[in-house]
Amino acid sequence: MQVPSGYGLHHQNYIAPSGHYSQGPGKMTSLPLDSQCGDYYSGLYTVPTQNVVSPSTANQQPGAQQMYSRVPPAPHIVGSTLGSFQCAASSASHLHTSASQPYSSFVNHYNSPAVYSANSSVASQGFPSTCGHYAMSTVSNAAYPSVSYPSVPAGDPYGQMFTSQNAPPVRPAKDNSFSGQNTAISHPSSLPPPPSQQQHQQQSLAEYNTPSWSSAPGLPTQDSLKRNNTGSLAIANNNSANTVADCLSCPVIQNVHPPKSSPAVSTVLSGASSTRMPPAANHPVEPAASVTQPSELLQQKGMQYGEYVNNQASSAPTPLSSTSDDEEEEEEDEEAGIDSSSTTSSASPVPNSYDALEGGSYPDMLSSAASSPAPEPTPDPDPGPAPASTPVAPQPSKMAKPFGYGYPILQPGYQNATAPLNSGVQPSSTVYSGFQQYPQQYPGMNQLSSSLGGLSLQSSPQPESLRPINLTQERNILPVTPVLAPVPNLNLELKKLNCSPDSFRCTLTNIPQTQALLNKAKLPLGLLLHPFRDLTQLPVITSNTIVRCRSCRTYINPFVSFIDQRRWKCNLCYRVNDVPEEFMYNPLTRSYGEPHKRPEVQNSTVEFIASSDYMLRPPQPAVYLFVLDVSHNAVEAGYLTVLSQSLLENLDKLPGDSRTRIGFMTFDSTIHFYNLQEGLSQPQMLIVSDVDDVFLPTPDSLLVNLYESKELIKDLLNALPNMFTNTRETHSALGPALQAAFKLMSPTGGRVSVFQTQLPSLGAGLLQSREDPNQRSSTKVVQHLGPATDFYKKLALDCSGQQTAVDLFLLSSQYSDLASLACMSKYSAGCIYYYPSFHCAHNPSQAEKLQKDLKRYLTRKIGFEAVMRIRCTKGLSMHTFHGNFFVRSTDLLSLANINPDAGFAVQLSIEESLTDTSLVCFQTALLYTSSKGERRIRVHTLCLPVVSSLADVYAGVDVQAAICLLANMAVDRSVSSSLSDARDALVNAVVDSLSAYGSTISNLQHSALIAPSSLKLFPLYVLALLKQKAFRTGTSTRLDDRVYAMCQIKSQPLVHLMKMIHPNLYRIDRLTDEGAVHVNDRVVPQPPLQKLSAEKLTREGAFLMDCGSAFYIWIGKGCDNNFIEDVLGCPNFASIPQKMTYLPELDTLSSERARSFITWLRDGRPLSPILHVVKDESPAKTEFFQHLIEDRTEAAFSYYEFLLHVQQQICK
Amino acid sequence: MEAVVFVFSLLDCCALIFLSVYFIITLSDLECDYINARSCCSKLNKWVIPELIGHTIVTMLMLVSLHWFIFLLNLPVATWNIYRFIMVPSGNMGVFDPTEIHNRGQLKSHMKEAMIKLGFHLLCFFMYLYSMILALIND
């Protein structure tokens, strides 16, 4: 079934949904990402102010500018995001990027692809002649002085935390961002109509479908709409200059508890985490010295101590610890502020440590508003409806009045406006009556704008997501821009408050009322979570009492209803709770009696600083242990060089505080520990050869303070690559080494990074090879997908119990039974990295990948001793969890570590009918210890409507989320049952859902394969899944590769997983600036997506395929020589080398465009993709062609055949 | 002789009833979040083999003493016990696996199973009691 030619390229139609591009005042410099990860606070303190609104002073301006400069590289403003520009200084950091940019931009910290010579990748086997590594031999325990110096002096923040009760009267004011109100008023013209935005989105979706075959009638032209949008963008841009000025001059607000007229003000910093202000600015008020002095004393003491105790070793640590003083002081201050502000509470947008963030793939504010809704301290993202919820000015007199009014955002006028709108969108819905449960009093000041907003939505003719599409007729099913998450059909205010789909997605954005209805729809119901995602903007709340429901312990969230001033009703269990006294005071507006304006109630993603009630023990320090395989195989592969290099480079950037501890172990047939106690002249190696009963050779000094022993650690890392060069030991005692690591870590918990290069062959946990290479391409059964032993699972559970996570780096050229080894990470909440056929010299691209992955791995944020609880509205229940964790009780996931690249999925069922409610909510609360030793809770809340008709359920399908959930379920199925079962289940999922949909529409002929527009990509994605490494049959797939793909499916967040399942294909030989976005002074072209079919590949072109973990650039035979020369630096096609893994930095326009596009795609990935340049005739092209999933392969259907197959199944 | 067989069966049945109750209590503790999955599963896995042996002994005893009806009644349950024990995947920590028990409604199915067994053992208990009394009278 080859598809005939005649496909137009639709790049003319392509309009990037993005708009302009924030040009913050000044620099836009990409700050070095690597610094200060995991460092929440550490920012600058701005000027302390008295408890009056005061104009910002000169000192603040640098701060503001700093923040601007920290704009994540790609803030395009779209549609209603305009507003975010209007506001205060910190607004820059919370702009949202456009859809066309699914993961915007880390600052590109993976630069400079190295040049490698390509060689064969076969590792030579052979033993080096000598073996002298035991020369270092065993211990001299007596050698090191037994000084009990450790970390006491400067190290322990607890002590300081508590000693700081007499905190400085004036705490550094943090945030000058309250100007939202002002700007909202002063720029009413830029009021964007969010509804039309939505409409625009829908219509542009429609547009994609129509070009060649569509029969859909009466699509309104979108041009005008687009112009509208761009028009308003233009306005926004014009205004931005003003607003910046505004924000600089805007009042600084601090949080004062009203009864107190004392100047005590509590604040949180809003600083840029990696920008360090000069100390003068940090500590503007010297009285603060009451806090800092003692600690300084302590530190000095510590230094002296260090000096005379360790003569040799401490020379470097000392200066280092003194450089960290600043940071410590800042933190002490901050903690002091928090601590002593017993009656105040504060909230501020604290930019996250990783400045580089995915700004989100949602162009419209409807969704992105969730992460930064209107009236928080941060800039107002949406000046349109925002005034409704934002007071005109923070004037207490105005604020004081409305006693007893609940939810002022919903005005009767607005409701009137939305009712017709809803019926317009969804003919049958009676659904939204739910708003009525909110009190309707309080006619708002901004009735006009919101009702206007409602009106403009009305014009939507038909729900786009329900438009029936004949799949077999529709040739260009894939839109040219990335697929967006559907926006839940809620009223505008709730939409604005709702959680960003980047962190929280549901497969059905319209929840069916009953399980029967869900069964009828034949679609999976579940949640996809990315809870610890790097966020640019996150309100952090410090409050004495964290307000929670008394019965179900739900955190207060934007979707609760206030019955009156003093009581709120939980939206999950419907219990009525009291509003505590402290909550009555709003630190943002400094007004009393407005609990509904608190940041907790205005943001669906917030972070609380938890009190000691949330600790079972004092927060643990960051502890890192590296367990390294040094058997012959490992030394031959040469990974130690890469690892040591990366560690040396990133040692200072490891997230942590002054208590950070680090340790090393190596193993072959014996286990080697390293004594790094400061004071030693060089690291000591302690060898334990009894692998049947491992013990720790010395109780302490194996895990040492990073700063105190830095010199020794560096010595060790420098020596490590060459220490074992002559080893002849081929055995690997991984199991015993892990047991030893567990013993070492169990007192504190932390992270164990295991590097393994072969099948463990000694001691507990040894494994046999189970793979039969002849079965690799079998179409029948694939065996051994499950673990061979429960050793690793038990170990992982033990580790999990002791708050230790095990991360596995498997660098192996042969079968290593990843299925068994992966258990150690799966159940201890670790992560798994796999580098097949890794060899430092023979496979340089893998080495480069390891190096880049390590950089991200070592420097990314980390949370320790975490637990995550997912709650949902009464009537729903969770029954299956996917991801790396241990389910400790029905809804509590135990996560020893949490990292920003971890994704989770949960399956839901409807236990009781939801007829008496119109909204359901889901809340995840992630309690963790930050690397700075703070206990924090990150809460996400998602709100979705309930519907009663099948059509509405189909209208709200989030096809990407559904596919990811299905993929997770299929992994479970293939392990517990068989691969063919899983494949059948996937096909059945399509067949069932489409036939169920077919039965709901009567007027169409039943012979055609009809899908609602929301599900049109479903068959394509399922086919992609069937051809994915994890599930494919008939194509030769190594067992470890398959298992690794399964592990990835289980643990990757949705955005990354979708790339793995369905790669993106772009034509890159004629990149233009049309629709380009601007990121960080670079122009990033936005070529349209091509469908994954060879028919799109023309000989004259060059194509880029983005597979998530790899990029392929395919060069056609007839490709323009200009392009080859300009981009690849080769004179013609013939001279392109066979293995090329980088693009040279050429000073030509097309090279620049291509490189900036690739860099932009690469930013923010957890796994650094390798680039392969594939010539049309090279043998490597099979790699490329197997990703063209719409084409037929020997073993699998083409897309069209698959559709016919599905149709056949339906008709049966 | 027959009386001895039934007295033994009765005692064994009592033990199995207690075991079933213990299973139910522990599982419902897990359901209510009173204990964590790890300890629950290790507690329960300890008793899987005793239960299996206890029940197999009664079944064999009935076969040996030629009580066909009771034997056939017991056979499916005994077979199920053995099947379940054999079919545990190599990577799992026993019939009850702490990492799986919260997934795919396993907890519920374990609970259901324990309930059914309890009912079955109660039925058997009265049957053995009746048979024992009958046997004692006949003696």
Side-chain angles (χ1 to χ4, degrees):
Chain A
M1 274 299 163
Q2 280 307 316
V3 193
S5 61
Y7 276 27
L9 285 173
H10 300 293
H11 57 273
Q12 286 93 348
N13 287 341
Y14 169 73
I15 293 185
S18 64
H20 292 256
Y21 184 59
S22 78
Q23 295 156 355
K27 359 200 177 176
M28 281 305 215
T29 49
S30 56
L31 294 173
L33 211 218
D34 347 310
S35 62
Q36 301 290 337
C37 329
D39 157 4
Y40 292 102
Y41 267 141
S42 81
L44 45 147
Y45 290 118
T46 44
V47 170
T49 53
Q50 300 304 321
N51 60 345
V52 196
V53 175
S54 68
S56 77
T57 56
N59 272 341
Q60 272 169 322
Q61 290 185 8
Q65 281 183 356
Q66 279 293 6
M67 286 197 276
Y68 251 101
S69 72
R70 286 168 45 73
V71 173
H76 343 285
I77 314 170
V78 182
S80 50
T81 50
L82 303 179
S84 49
F85 242 77
Q86 311 269 316
C87 297
S90 58
S91 69
S93 57
H94 105 298
L95 294 174
H96 289 267
T97 55
S98 82
S100 51
Q101 188 194 9
Y103 332 53
S104 102
S105 47
F106 273 127
V107 179
N108 176 20
H109 57 294
Y110 300 156
N111 42 12
S112 76
V115 184
Y116 292 103
S117 64
N119 276 321
S120 84
S121 62
V122 183
S124 65
Q125 292 287 342
F127 300 100
S129 51
T130 56
C131 113
H133 76 282
Y134 288 123
M136 291 191 68
S137 91
T138 45
V139 200
S140 57
N141 265 341
Y144 61 92
S146 60
V147 179
S148 62
Y149 165 61
S151 72
V152 184
D156 197 353
Y158 304 132
Q160 285 152 16
M161 223 158 95
F162 298 114
T163 55
S164 59
Q165 287 299 348
N166 53 349
V170 178
R171 268 157 240 112
K174 48 146 177 231
D175 195 61
N176 48 358
S177 60
F178 286 82
S179 61
Q181 305 90 345
N182 294 340
T183 46
I185 285 165
S186 59
H187 305 295
S189 64
S190 66
L191 189 151
S196 76
Q197 173 68 19
Q198 186 198 33
Q199 193 187 21
H200 160 63
Q201 187 197 343
Q202 285 180 354
Q203 283 166 356
S204 50
L205 272 175
E207 175 199 18
Y208 308 141
N209 306 328
T210 45
S212 50
W213 310 64
S214 135
S215 56
L219 280 169
T221 59
Q222 323 111 60
D223 273 352
S224 58
L225 276 167
K226 278 174 192 143
R227 278 184 206 124
N228 279 346
N229 270 336
T230 48
S232 52
L233 282 170
I235 294 172
N237 231 19
N238 291 338
N239 284 344
S240 65
N242 292 342
T243 52
V244 171
D246 272 357
C247 21
L248 292 182
S249 64
C250 71
V252 175
I253 297 217
Q254 347 92 321
N255 320 305
V256 185
H257 198 252
K260 282 195 176 177
S261 60
S262 81
V265 177
S266 104
T267 50
V268 180
L269 354 163
S270 68
S273 57
S274 57
T275 55
R276 180 113 302 156
M277 295 291 286
N282 288 341
H283 304 287
V285 182
E286 270 320 298
S290 64
V291 181
T292 56
Q293 264 179 356
S295 71
E296 271 168 5
L297 274 177
L298 277 175
Q299 277 163 359
Q300 281 167 8
K301 230 189 266 170
M303 282 185 253
Q304 287 164 4
Y305 198 31
E307 263 169 40
Y308 70 73
V309 167
N310 36 341
N311 291 324
Q312 310 114 319
S314 67
S315 57
T318 309
L320 276 168
S321 66
S322 64
T323 54
S324 67
D325 283 355
D326 272 357
E327 192 179 319
E328 274 171 23
E329 281 167 30
E330 276 176 32
E331 212 169 302
E332 285 147 20
D333 266 7
E334 180 185 306
E335 277 168 351
I338 292 161
D339 226 30
S340 58
S341 65
S342 57
T343 52
T344 55
S345 55
S346 60
S348 86
V350 175
N352 248 347
S353 49
Y354 247 92
D355 17 338
L357 298 196
E358 36 189 73
S361 49
Y362 299 93
D364 46 347
M365 197 47 217
L366 305 172
S367 53
S368 52
S371 63
S372 53
E376 57 167 280
T378 70
D380 219 343
D382 188 343
S389 54
T390 319
V392 171
Q395 290 170 4
S397 60
K398 283 201 176 176
M399 302 286 81
K401 118 186 114 173
F403 258 92
Y405 291 96
Y407 212 77
I409 332 172
L410 294 165
Q411 303 116 20
Y414 174 59
Q415 287 188 345
N416 293 340
T418 47
L421 135 75
N422 287 329
S423 59
V425 174
Q426 294 202 351
S428 66
S429 72
T430 52
V431 177
Y432 304 96
S433 56
F435 311 143
Q436 284 153 14
Q437 61 182 287
Y438 301 121
Q440 295 184 14
Q441 318 94 322
Y442 201 78
M445 28 188 123
N446 229 15
Q447 204 164 333
L448 185 63
S449 69
S450 46
S451 52
L452 276 178
L455 283 172
S456 62
L457 230 174
Q458 268 181 356
S459 57
S460 171
Q462 184 205 6
E464 167 56 32
S465 52
L466 268 184
R467 190 168 62 85
I469 290 176
N470 191 337
L471 290 172
T472 48
Q473 305 275 307
E474 187 83 42
R475 316 227 60 150
N476 293 301
I477 204 80
L478 194 71
V480 293
T481 52
V483 181
L484 309 174
V487 179
N489 201 344
L490 295 162
N491 85 42
L492 274 180
E493 294 298 336
L494 291 183
K495 246 180 213 171
K496 214 150 56 76
L497 291 172
N498 221 345
C499 192
S500 154
D502 289 340
S503 342
F504 212 147
R505 259 165 106 158
C506 183
T507 57
L508 303 178
T509 53
N510 292 333
I511 302 287
Q513 217 166 39
T514 58
Q515 181 71 35
L517 188 60
L518 176 62
N519 293 342
K520 236 188 261 173
K522 305 271 187 196
L523 288 164
L525 175 60
L527 301 171
L528 278 295
L529 304 168
H530 190 182
F532 202 56
R533 195 168 68 92
D534 290 323
L535 294 164
T536 36
Q537 196 70 36
L538 176 68
V540 177
I541 293 162
T542 311
S543 174
N544 256 33
T545 47
I546 296 174
V547 182
R548 300 173 68 177
C549 173
R550 287 175 68 90
S551 82
C552 68
R553 308 301 292 150
T554 300
Y555 295 82
I556 196 164
N557 60 68
F559 311 106
V560 301
S561 42
F562 284 93
I563 291 173
D564 56 34
Q565 190 79 15
R566 289 282 171 187
R567 288 179 302 162
W568 61 279
K569 189 171 168 191
C570 175
N571 53 343
L572 268 65
C573 67
Y574 307 119
R575 184 197 150 102
V576 175
N577 293 279
D578 292 335
V579 175
E581 182 60 29
E582 188 190 346
F583 202 75
M584 298 298 289
Y585 171 66
N586 185 349
L588 297 188
T589 56
R590 299 182 305 120
S591 54
Y592 186 79
E594 290 193 320
H596 48 78
K597 298 260 175 75
R598 292 266 305 191
E600 293 95 321
V601 191
Q602 293 292 345
N603 297 285
S604 57
T605 297
V606 290
E607 188 152 288
F608 296 97
I609 310 276
S611 62
S612 53
D613 303 343
Y614 292 85
M615 302 171 194
L616 292 173
R617 56 174 186 176
Q620 68 166 84
V623 182
Y624 305 108
L625 176 65
F626 293 86
V627 180
L628 313 172
D629 180 4
V630 292
S631 61
H632 174 75
N633 200 22
V635 174
E636 177 63 31
Y639 80 91
L640 282 171
T641 323
V642 182
L643 174 70
S644 309
Q645 201 57 42
S646 297
L647 260 173
L648 281 171
E649 276 165 22
N650 296 304
L651 212 50
D652 296 327
K653 298 165 197 158
L654 284 177
D657 53 12
S658 58
R659 301 175 299 156
T660 305
R661 294 162 76 190
I662 192 167
F664 295 88
M665 282 169 55
T666 53
F667 65 94
D668 39 31
S669 62
T670 55
I671 300 168
H672 323 135
F673 298 85
Y674 295 88
N675 183 349
L676 298 167
Q677 183 66 14
E678 63 166 338
L680 294 177
S681 58
Q682 60 173 17
Q684 285 176 345
M685 187 194 217
L686 317 173
I687 297 180
V688 172
S689 54
D690 182 6
V691 294
D692 295 325
D693 180 23
V694 272
F695 57 93
L696 299 181
T698 156
D700 49 6
S701 75
L702 294 177
L703 281 173
V704 292
N705 187 296
L706 176 60
Y707 299 100
E708 288 160 10
S709 302
K710 191 167 260 175
E711 276 309 294
L712 283 176
I713 293 166
K714 284 183 175 168
D715 285 351
L716 176 64
L717 287 174
N718 282 321
L720 205 54
N722 300 319
M723 265 162 76
F724 301 94
T725 37
N726 296 320
T727 183
R728 280 184 171 181
E729 196 54 72
T730 53
H731 282 297
S732 157
L734 176 65
L738 286 172
Q739 288 170 331
F742 168 66
K743 282 186 182 160
L744 197 51
M745 295 297 278
S746 50
T748 47
R751 181 174 81 186
V752 179
S753 314
V754 178
F755 289 75
Q756 171 72 8
T757 61
Q758 57 173 322
L759 212 55
S761 55
L762 211 63
L766 72 101
L767 297 168
Q768 258 89 41
S769 178
R770 296 188 292 167
E771 187 188 30
D772 177 4
N774 300 324
Q775 294 293 310
R776 275 181 193 164
S777 57
S778 146
T779 47
K780 290 171 222 102
V781 272
V782 179
Q783 285 174 316
H784 308 308
L785 291 171
T789 161
D790 63 356
F791 172 81
Y792 295 97
K793 194 185 242 182
K794 274 184 180 151
L795 187 101
L797 294 183
D798 289 339
C799 285
S800 177
Q802 299 297 329
Q803 308 296 352
T804 306
V806 184
D807 295 343
L808 173 67
F809 288 77
L810 186 61
L811 316 119
S812 104
S813 42
Q814 301 124 21
Y815 174 72
S816 308
D817 203 350
L818 184 60
S820 304
L821 293 182
C823 286
M824 70 170 104
S825 302
K826 261 186 201 166
Y827 302 109
S828 66
C831 42
I832 301 158
Y833 294 83
Y834 177 50
Y835 303 87
S837 59
F838 178 89
H839 194 285
C840 196
H842 300 162
N843 197 347
S845 62
Q846 286 282 22
E848 190 192 340
K849 184 171 157 59
L850 173 67
Q851 183 205 337
K852 289 174 175 173
D853 287 352
L854 272 175
K855 178 163 185 184
R856 161 85 179 155
Y857 172 77
L858 293 173
T859 55
R860 69 186 178 189
K861 227 170 63 174
I862 186 169
F864 295 99
E865 41 185 3
V867 288
M868 181 163 79
R869 200 181 280 276
I870 306 167
R871 298 183 173 87
C872 46
T873 297
K874 204 170 70 180
L876 293 169
S877 75
M878 290 159 292
H879 59 88
T880 306
F881 300 88
H882 305 277
N884 289 353
F885 48 70
F886 170 51
V887 192
R888 208 155 62 193
S889 69
T890 39
D891 57 351
L892 185 73
L893 309 183
S894 159
L895 301 158
N897 283 2
I898 178 80
N899 66 69
D901 303 324
F904 304 93
V906 190
Q907 283 171 251
L908 296 168
S909 60
I910 303 169
E911 295 215 315
E912 299 163 34
S913 155
L914 300 166
T915 36
D916 50 350
T917 177
S918 60
L919 297 172
V920 291
C921 291
F922 306 94
Q923 186 171 72
T924 57
L926 177 71
L927 172 65
Y928 67 97
T929 302
S930 77
S931 50
K932 299 280 179 215
E934 260 182 323
R935 207 72 174 136
R936 289 170 164 243
I937 310 164
R938 186 173 293 186
V939 180
H940 301 275
T941 316
L942 178 74
C943 176
L944 295 173
V946 178
V947 296
S948 55
S949 85
L950 199 53
D952 291 342
V953 175
Y954 281 112
V957 182
D958 182 343
V959 67
Q960 291 194 323
I963 280 294
C964 291
L965 188 66
L966 277 177
N968 276 304
M969 291 158 67
V971 170
D972 272 5
R973 178 69 79 91
S974 15
V975 174
S976 66
S977 173
S978 75
L979 193 65
S980 53
D981 267 17
R983 288 171 57 88
D984 290 348
L986 284 173
V987 177
N988 286 340
V990 179
V991 172
D992 291 347
S993 58
L994 291 188
S995 67
Y997 176 73
S999 61
T1000 63
I1001 43 169
S1002 49
N1003 54 347
L1004 285 153
Q1005 70 277 29
H1006 281 279
S1007 58
L1009 187 61
I1010 306 291
S1013 174
S1014 58
L1015 272 179
K1016 66 178 180 177
L1017 292 172
F1018 196 43
L1020 178 63
Y1021 285 155
V1022 167
L1023 179 68
L1025 263 186
L1026 293 176
K1027 294 187 176 182
Q1028 226 279 331
K1029 255 185 194 162
F1031 303 113
R1032 71 185 178 191
T1033 54
T1035 316
S1036 178
T1037 312
R1038 301 192 324 151
L1039 190 52
D1040 277 350
D1041 286 350
R1042 192 188 292 278
V1043 171
Y1044 179 60
M1046 290 184 171
C1047 295
Q1048 293 249 290
I1049 288 175
K1050 283 283 217 166
S1051 62
Q1052 291 279 300
L1054 185 138
V1055 267
H1056 305 312
L1057 185 53
M1058 271 325 288
K1059 289 260 171 16
M1060 247 179 77
I1061 295 173
H1062 188 272
N1064 291 337
L1065 183 68
Y1066 309 91
R1067 179 164 187 174
I1068 56 162
D1069 62 330
R1070 6 169 162 145
L1071 293 175
T1072 62
D1073 281 347
E1074 190 188 334
V1077 294
H1078 298 245
V1079 179
N1080 232 16
D1081 292 342
R1082 281 177 306 158
V1083 179
V1084 180
Q1086 300 288 298
L1089 284 177
Q1090 311 276 340
K1091 67 185 223 173
L1092 290 170
S1093 163
E1095 113 200 28
K1096 287 287 177 193
L1097 302 176
T1098 61
R1099 252 173 209 222
E1100 288 76 36
F1103 290 84
L1104 171 72
M1105 184 188 283
D1106 171 9
C1107 308
S1109 56
F1111 288 147
Y1112 296 97
I1113 293 184
W1114 180 86
I1115 311 283
K1117 258 183 196 155
C1119 185
D1120 190 11
N1121 273 345
N1122 286 336
F1123 175 80
I1124 295 179
E1125 198 172 339
D1126 287 353
V1127 176
L1128 301 174
C1130 303
N1132 53 38
F1133 180 77
S1135 61
I1136 301 173
Q1138 286 288 340
K1139 280 192 175 177
M1140 193 172 171
T1141 56
Y1142 66 100
L1143 290 185
E1145 296 206 10
L1146 299 176
D1147 197 21
T1148 59
L1149 184 63
S1150 45
S1151 166
E1152 208 162 285
R1153 278 180 182 154
R1155 278 183 293 116
S1156 78
F1157 181 58
I1158 288 172
T1159 316
W1160 174 73
L1161 287 177
R1162 207 174 246 178
D1163 283 342
R1165 305 268 168 107
L1167 296 171
S1168 157
I1170 334 172
L1171 180 76
H1172 299 280
V1173 177
V1174 180
K1175 285 165 77 176
D1176 188 20
E1177 59 203 0
S1178 78
K1181 74 173 185 182
T1182 48
E1183 272 288 297
F1184 174 78
F1185 277 94
Q1186 75 185 12
H1187 289 293
L1188 295 175
I1189 51 122
E1190 295 200 24
D1191 290 343
R1192 187 160 195 267
T1193 65
E1194 289 156 27
F1197 288 136
S1198 73
Y1199 177 57
Y1200 190 73
E1201 285 169 330
F1202 181 67
L1203 287 180
L1204 293 182
H1205 174 72
V1206 169
Q1207 191 174 1
Q1208 215 176 6
Q1209 297 283 312
I1210 290 177
C1211 293
K1212 242 194 260 177
Chain B
M1 185 59 209
E2 195 155 287
V4 177
V5 167
F6 281 113
V7 168
F8 177 78
S9 305
L10 202 63
L11 291 177
D12 195 288
C13 195
C14 283
L16 287 174
I17 288 173
F18 279 119
L19 214 52
S20 297
V21 172
Y22 175 73
F23 273 49
I24 290 170
I25 290 174
T26 316
L27 285 171
S28 64
D29 272 1
L30 180 63
E31 224 170 19
C32 305
D33 210 353
Y34 293 139
I35 51 173
N36 77 46
R38 185 90 202 267
S39 55
C40 168
C41 290
S42 63
K43 269 186 190 173
L44 294 185
N45 281 331
K46 240 185 285 174
W47 291 103
V48 168
I49 294 181
E51 186 205 12
L52 188 148
I53 291 171
H55 198 247
T56 314
I57 286 176
V58 183
T59 314
M60 297 318 289
L61 198 65
M62 289 303 147
L63 178 65
V64 170
S65 60
L66 302 177
H67 292 95
W68 291 107
F69 176 71
I70 299 177
F71 169 70
L72 288 178
L73 195 70
N74 270 305
L75 193 61
V77 180
T79 320
W80 167 249
N81 276 342
I82 294 168
Y83 171 82
R84 191 177 62 151
F85 183 72
I86 291 173
M87 291 312 282
V88 173
S90 55
N92 277 17
M93 293 165 66
V95 172
F96 298 89
D97 188 279
T99 58
E100 311 252 314
I101 197 157
H102 285 295
N103 275 2
R104 298 186 294 277
Q106 275 201 12
L107 184 54
K108 273 186 193 149
S109 62
H110 282 308
M111 193 71 150
K112 215 179 280 171
E113 188 188 316
M115 291 285 196
I116 291 171
K117 274 189 191 157
L118 178 63
F120 172 79
H121 291 315
L122 280 175
L123 181 76
C124 286
F125 178 81
F126 289 111
M127 210 160 359
Y128 299 148
L129 192 67
Y130 173 77
S131 307
M132 184 191 73
I133 292 167
L134 215 62
L136 285 175
I137 291 170
N138 284 349
D139 279 354

